[in-house]
Amino acid sequence: MTAIARITLLSLVLGLSACTVQRPVPTSSEPIPPVGPSTRPAPSTAPGKHSAPIPAAKPQPRTSASFAPPPGGHSHWDARLGVYVLDDQNNTFYRQRTYYRWNNGWSRSISPDGPWEDTDVHGVPAGLGRQFQ
């Protein structure tokens, strides 16, 4: 026999022997409960009955867990846009040491006071690009 045939035969024997060594998983004798509609009662819709009040939405966090706020500026985190919104400057945003400004086009800077460099939608965080088009 050639060496390739011996290696192939040995691999086949070892592979099949591994299947015979494993023990079967014990099965439970308990029946599996059927999946069906929920057993909770449906909410009442009868006239004159009041349903439970809807809880108020959680307030949005003022800061992000992933991004640090801008230094020295009053801002709040907007999770939908994925940036901090500067409270004292219109259409000015901050994320990762960069300020972004919308003024009929995008510009960015390392300072909220400029100098501003023109950029396009690809140069701003994705949430901002979708918000101002």
Side-chain angles (χ1 to χ4, degrees), residues 78-89:
D78 187 327
R80 186 175 52 85
L81 298 177
V83 293
Y84 285 93
V85 178
L86 272 62
D87 295 332
D88 54 351
Q89 293 183 2

Side-chain angles (χ1 to χ4, degrees), residues 2-68:
T2 66
I4 294 176
R6 287 182 186 163
I7 292 173
T8 304
L9 183 60
L10 183 59
S11 298
L12 183 63
V13 169
L14 285 175
L16 290 176
S17 67
C19 294
T20 61
V21 175
Q22 294 182 3
R23 296 179 186 209
V25 177
T27 58
S28 172
S29 60
E30 296 178 21
I32 298 173
V35 177
S38 173
T39 57
R40 291 188 329 185
S44 174
T45 56
K49 298 252 181 170
H50 297 286
S51 61
I54 298 173
K58 293 169 81 175
Q60 292 295 321
R62 298 256 331 144
T63 61
S64 164
S66 302
F67 301 107

Side-chain angles (χ1 to χ4, degrees), residues 87-105:
D87 295 332
D88 54 351
Q89 293 183 2
N90 286 338
N91 293 333
T92 305
F93 312 93
Y94 176 85
R95 188 168 91 178
Q96 292 181 313
R97 291 179 260 159
T98 304
Y99 292 87
Y100 303 95
R101 181 178 66 179
W102 173 259
N103 188 9
N104 294 324

